[in-house]
Amino acid sequence: MKKNCLLVLAFLFSTSFIFSQNKRFELDSLMNRNLYSKNLQSLQFIPGSNDFCYVFDSILKTGNAKNAVRDLLTLSELKKIMQSAGEKETAYIPAIKFTSPNTFTFQANGKLYLLNIKSKSLQTLCSFEKGIENLDIENGNYKAAYTKGNNLYILAGGQEKAVSNENNKDIVYGRSAHRDEFGITKGTFWSPKGNLLAFYRMDQTMVTDYPLVNVNTRIAEETPIKYPMAGMASHQVTVGVYNPTTGRTIYLKTATDTSLTEKESYLTNITWSPDEKYIYIAKLNRKQNYMQLNCYNAETGGLIKTLFEERSGKYVEPLFGLYFIPEKDNEFLYLSQRDGFMHIYHYNTDGKLIKQLTKGEWIVKDIAKFDPKGKKVFFSAKKESPLDQDLYSVEIASGKIERITQQKGTHIIGINDNGDLFLDSYSNRNTPGEYLLLDKKGQTLVTLYANSNPLKDYKMPEIDIFTIKAADEKTDLYCRLIKPADFDPNKKYPVIVYVYGGPHAQLINESWLNGGNLYFMFLAQQGYVVWTVDSRGSADRGFAFESAIHRKVGDNECADQMKGIDYLKSLPYVDVNRIAVDGWSYGGFMSISLKLRYPGIFKVATAGGPVVDWKWYEIMYGERYSDFPDDNKDGYQKSSLLTYVKNLQGKLLVIHGAQDPTVVWQHSLRFIDECIKQKKQVDYFVYPNHEHNVRGMDRLHLYRKLYEYYQQNL
C-alpha cells in the first residue's frame, strides 16, 4: 500500500451544497416530482423564423429575442380543435415538431396529425394499427415506416405497403441491428428527400435461442430471445433499399465487396448522400480491429469505393455517420478517435483527407449543425474539462474554434436555421437547470426558465469533487465525495462506494448534484459517506483511458478503485471497518470483483445485474473489450467472478431481473450455484418482471432493499 502523500496529488476544485434548512428525505418520497428540476418539453426553434417554442405546464409557449414569451396554445384549446375535427381529445400536449412557421406535427390516438396554429385546423396525416413498433416518420412528405412482428411496412398517402413478407420469425426487417452497439439506434433510414428507404435485414437463424420465462401465466411460458454469446455464431445483417414508387427492393452487396467479406461483419452508421444516389456504411470486421468506410450505389447495390480504413491493435468503434457540408455534396465531416481522442475530420467523397479540424487531449461529443453556407460547424465537446460539456464552433476553412456557451456546466443545445441563435439547456453544481436563448457570442438574450432549487428546504450534504492518481501513479481520476449531513469531523462514518468503471459511462460531471442522485443524498442524510471514482475504463477521457480494460477486464478498474479506498483510509472520519460497495451491470461486475479480489476490505457488497463471466455476455460488447474466448483464455479466466468465489467473506447481496435480455439471468444463477458448491453464504433477490434495471415505482422497492441491507450489515 502506498503512502498517503502519493494518493492525492491535486484537488482541481471542490464544491459544497450546504443549505440551512432541515428537512430530510424519506425513501418513499424520492420519486416525488417536486424534488426534481422542471423540464421544458419540445423545446425548439420554429423553422423559417427566429422564434422558439416549448411546452410547459400544459401550455405551448413561444417567443423570440425581441418579444416576451407568450402562450401559443393551451391544452383546452387543443382539445377543442381535436373535438371539432371529430378526433378523440388528448389528455396532455404531446411531443410536437414544427414543420413551418404555422404548422406542427404530433402523435396521439395512433395517428400522426398536422395542426395549423394560425387557422386552428387539424389534418390526419397517417393512421396506425395498434401493435406497430419502430415507427419512423419521414418529415418531408409524412411517410411512415414501421414494423409489425418481424416484417417492415410503410404508409404513404394513406396506403400501407409491405416492404417484406417473411414467414421465418428469426429473420427480421426494419429493426435495430447489432444489439444497439456502434451508435445504432434504429433499423430504418429515409433518404434526404424521402424517395427511398434503407433498412436493416437481420438473419438470426444461426443464433442460439436463449430462454426467458414469463411467470405470470397459469403455467409459466418460455419467451426466448436471440442472444449471441461471445465466441458463438452472430447474426448476419444486410442493408436493403426500398423504392415506394416502384415497390422494388435491392440489397447492398456488402457481403461480396473487396477485402472485408465475412458474413458476420457489422454494418454501422448508415448515411445517405444528399442526392440520394449513394449510401455510406462504416463496415467493421467481427474482431472489431479493422473498419472500412464504404460507398454503395443505392440503385444497384454495388460497391463504388472504400473511402478509407481504420485499424487498431485493440478495437475500432465507429459511432457516428457522415455529416455532409451544405452546398458541398462532395465533402463531409467524420468523427473518429484514431489519434486517441474523438475529433472531427474533413474529407471529400473520393476519400481524400482534407484536414483534421479539431485536435487535442479532449473529446468531441457530437456534431450539432452547420451554418447555412457550410462555412462553420457547431459541435459539443469536453474541451475545458472532462466534466464540462460546451458548445463550440469551428471554421471549416481555417480550423478556428470558438467557445459559445459561457456558463460552467453541462449544456444541451438547439440551433436556429441561421446558426446565430441558440437554445441552451444547462445545469451545474449550483444551478438545478436553466433554459436560455443565447446570441452568437453566447450572451443571454432571454431566460426562458430558471429552476429554483427544488431541494432548498432539505438538509443537504456537502459534495466535493477532486482528483487522485490512478494505480499507474500518473493518470488523474475524478472522485466524488459526499459527506454525511450534520458532518462531524470527530466522528467515524461508514462508507458506501458506488461504482461503474466501464465504457460509455461517466458518473461524475459538472451538472446538478455533480452526477449524483437523491438516493445518494438520502444515504448521506442517514450518516453514510458516499464515494465514487471514475476509474480507467470510464468514458470521456480518450481512447487510452477507456481501452485500458482491453483483454484484461477488471484489472485496471479494480486497481484504480483501490486507490480510492487508500484515500478513504487516510481520512480520519472514515470507519475503515465499515466500507460497502455497490454497482449495477458493469458496476455489479465491479462490485463483486472488488469484494472477492480484495477480501476483508469491503464488509458489505451489493450488486445488481452483474456480469459474472464475460463468455456469457453478448458478442458485440464482450468481444470488443475481451476478444474471443478462445484467443484470450487467461483474460476470461481472470475476469470471471467464479474464479474468486473461494475468497468470499462477509455479506454479499446479488440482485437480478428475471427478464434481463442484456445480462441474462444465467450470470447470477451460476454465481449462486458456485457459492453453494464452495459452501459460501450469499444473499439473493430477484425481480421477476424486470429487465436489466428496476424502473418505475419498483425503484423505491430496490432503494429500500439496499438501504435496509446496509443498515443491518454495515
Side-chain angles (χ1 to χ4, degrees), residues 529-687:
V529 171
V530 184
W531 168 260
T532 293
V533 177
D534 274 329
S535 55
R536 284 175 295 167
S538 303
D540 295 348
R541 297 288 302 279
F543 183 76
F545 190 93
E546 189 170 70
S547 67
I549 69 174
H550 187 249
R551 288 177 57 91
K552 50 185 178 183
V553 171
D555 285 5
N556 286 327
E557 310 96 289
C558 284
D560 286 352
Q561 293 295 329
M562 292 308 296
K563 297 294 285 188
I565 297 301
D566 289 346
Y567 172 74
L568 290 172
K569 288 182 175 181
S570 74
L571 300 176
Y573 55 83
V574 165
D575 187 340
V576 298
N577 296 314
R578 299 173 66 200
I579 299 177
V581 59
D582 174 55
W584 200 279
S585 191
Y586 200 103
F589 160 73
M590 283 293 295
S591 179
I592 300 177
S593 294
L594 288 165
K595 173 73 169 172
L596 301 185
R597 287 193 184 202
Y598 303 94
I601 298 296
F602 300 93
K603 185 177 181 181
V604 172
T606 51
V611 177
V612 167
D613 193 310
W614 289 95
K615 67 174 175 289
W616 302 325
Y617 198 64
E618 54 94 356
I619 285 171
M620 297 79 189
Y621 186 104
E623 292 179 356
R624 181 186 312 137
Y625 302 116
S626 293
D627 211 333
F628 295 164
D630 287 344
D631 295 339
N632 185 23
K633 293 180 179 179
D634 289 344
Y636 275 86
Q637 176 68 21
K638 189 173 181 182
S639 65
S640 174
L641 301 183
L642 303 183
T643 302
Y644 306 97
V645 168
K646 61 182 180 294
N647 298 334
L648 179 57
Q649 301 175 11
K651 302 296 290 185
L652 169 62
L653 170 63
V654 180
I655 301 172
H656 217 125
Q659 306 304 316
D660 194 335
T662 305
V663 181
V664 291
W665 196 8
Q666 175 177 348
H667 283 264
S668 61
L669 289 175
R670 288 290 298 272
F671 182 80
I672 297 301
D673 188 50
E674 186 64 26
C675 288
I676 294 169
K677 290 177 181 177
Q678 298 199 30
K679 298 180 174 58
K680 297 291 184 178
Q681 293 295 326
V682 62
D683 296 308
Y684 192 62
F685 192 84
V686 173
Y687 285 92

Side-chain angles (χ1 to χ4, degrees), residues 350-363:
D350 290 329
K352 178 185 176 182
L353 174 62
I354 299 173
K355 70 171 64 171
Q356 182 176 346
L357 269 184
T358 63
K359 62 181 60 178
E361 294 186 357
W362 49 274
I363 66 163

Side-chain angles (χ1 to χ4, degrees), residues 304-324:
I304 302 297
K305 65 169 71 74
T306 295
L307 278 71
F308 58 81
E309 302 172 336
E310 288 191 8
R311 299 177 186 270
S312 171
K314 292 185 175 179
Y315 56 85
V316 179
E317 187 179 10
L319 292 169
F320 301 92
L322 282 60
Y323 299 84
F324 279 91

Side-chain angles (χ1 to χ4, degrees), residues 389-403:
Q389 181 170 306
D390 286 290
L391 180 71
Y392 299 84
S393 68
V394 58
E395 292 181 355
I396 295 174
S398 68
K400 180 183 177 182
I401 295 176
E402 291 186 1
R403 179 185 175 187

